[in-house]
Amino acid sequence: MGSFLNRRKLIQASFFVGAAGPAGLALAQDACFGTTLPSQPEGPFYPVKPQRDIDADLTRVVGKTQAARGEILDLWVQVQDEDCQNIEGALVDLWQACATGKYNHPRDPNTADLDPNFQYWAKAYTDASGRVKLRTIKPGAYPAAEGWIRPPHIHFKISAPGFRELTTQMYFAGEALNQKDLILLDLPLEEGNRLIVRFDREEGEVIPKGVFTVQLKRV
Ligand SMILES: [Fe+2]
C-alpha cells in the first residue's frame, strides 16, 4: 500500500508539470516509442444493441435534426506499427458516454440523462496515411464507485490484419480527475501519459483538434 501511495504522489507531481507547460504530455503524442500503446480494461459498457448509424461523426445521428450536446471535438486517430509505420485499413471501434457521463447501455447504473442526439459508438477505418478523423463530444465524468469518479475518457478497440487487437482508453489533458483515476494510475507514468491527448484550436478553426497515436503489435 505504501509503495502505491508513493507512486501516486509521483504521478500527481508529474501530471502537474505536464499541465504547466506545452512540452510534456502533448509531445508524448508525437513521439515514436517503439512499443505498443498500453492496453486498458474494456469496461462493462461496450454496446450490446445493434445500431444503424455508426459512422465517424458521433455528433449527428441519422433521423435526428439536433446535434449532440457538449463540447464538439475533432479526434484524429493515427494507427501505426511498433516502428511507427502507418497502418492503412485499421478498424477503429470506439464507444463513450455522452456529455452527462451516461452510456447507451442497459446496465449503466448512472442516473444521468441520455442524450438522444449523440451516437455513442462508431467504427471507422484508417486511410492510406494510417489516420481516421472522428467528430465527437467530450464525454462527461461519471461515478464508478464510492469515492471514485472516472475522468472523461473514450474507449477503443483497434485492430488490423496481421496485428493484435488493442483495447484501451483515451483521456483528456488538463483533467484534474486524471490524477486520481484508479485505472489510469494502474499504468506506469510514461505509459499513462501516452493515453492522454491534448485538444487545441488551430488558427481560424472553431473545433478543437487532438491526435491519439496508437501503436499495434504484430501477430
Ligand atoms: Fe468508461
Side-chain angles (χ1 to χ4, degrees):
M1 191 64 184
S3 66
F4 173 76
L5 288 176
N6 289 341
R7 189 164 68 87
R8 183 186 264 198
K9 270 189 189 160
L10 284 174
I11 288 170
Q12 286 177 339
S14 174
F15 270 67
F16 179 76
V17 170
L25 300 181
L27 286 181
Q29 297 299 319
D30 302 327
C32 182
F33 287 86
T35 58
T36 313
L37 194 75
S39 64
Q40 292 251 274
E42 179 174 318
F45 303 130
Y46 186 81
V48 289
K49 282 189 286 185
Q51 187 170 302
R52 183 161 66 114
D53 187 357
I54 203 168
D55 71 1
D57 184 354
L58 293 92
T59 67
R60 293 273 172 187
V61 176
V62 169
K64 305 276 186 185
T65 53
Q66 283 186 299
R69 276 182 281 161
E71 183 186 3
I72 293 179
L73 304 169
D74 280 338
L75 168 59
W76 288 83
V77 181
Q78 171 81 61
V79 183
Q80 302 176 327
D81 64 17
E82 288 172 286
D83 300 318
C84 299
Q85 299 300 304
N86 300 326
I87 302 175
E88 181 179 4
L91 170 60
V92 176
D93 179 344
L94 73 141
W95 66 104
Q96 64 170 88
C98 65
T100 66
K102 175 86 172 165
Y103 286 89
N104 186 21
H105 191 287
R107 287 197 302 277
D108 183 359
N110 190 348
T111 55
D113 288 336
L114 274 176
D115 179 357
N117 299 308
F118 184 56
Q119 189 177 293
Y120 294 91
W121 185 21
K123 288 186 180 184
Y125 290 90
T126 56
D127 62 15
S129 53
R131 286 183 205 146
V132 64
K133 177 186 165 188
L134 298 132
R135 179 159 287 179
T136 190
I137 55 102
K138 185 176 183 179
Y142 61 84
E146 182 84 33
W148 176 20
I149 296 179
R150 295 237 52 216
H153 62 277
I154 299 178
H155 293 264
F156 285 89
K157 285 189 202 183
I158 298 167
S159 57
F163 292 87
R164 289 193 199 157
E165 181 178 89
L166 175 71
T167 300
T168 194
Q169 300 183 28
M170 187 212 90
Y171 300 83
F172 294 79
E175 285 292 324
L177 288 169
N178 288 345
Q179 301 170 23
K180 302 181 211 163
D181 184 56
L182 300 182
I183 293 176
L184 182 54
L185 293 188
D186 200 36
L187 291 171
L189 173 63
E190 277 192 19
E191 295 200 11
N193 281 351
R194 291 174 65 187
L195 302 178
I196 299 173
V197 172
R198 197 179 79 195
F199 286 81
D200 291 312
R201 249 180 220 95
E202 289 180 352
E203 208 172 316
E205 296 286 333
V206 176
I207 298 177
K209 172 186 158 186
V211 182
F212 186 38
T213 305
V214 175
Q215 281 92 23
L216 299 181
K217 191 175 189 62
R218 286 190 187 280
V219 173

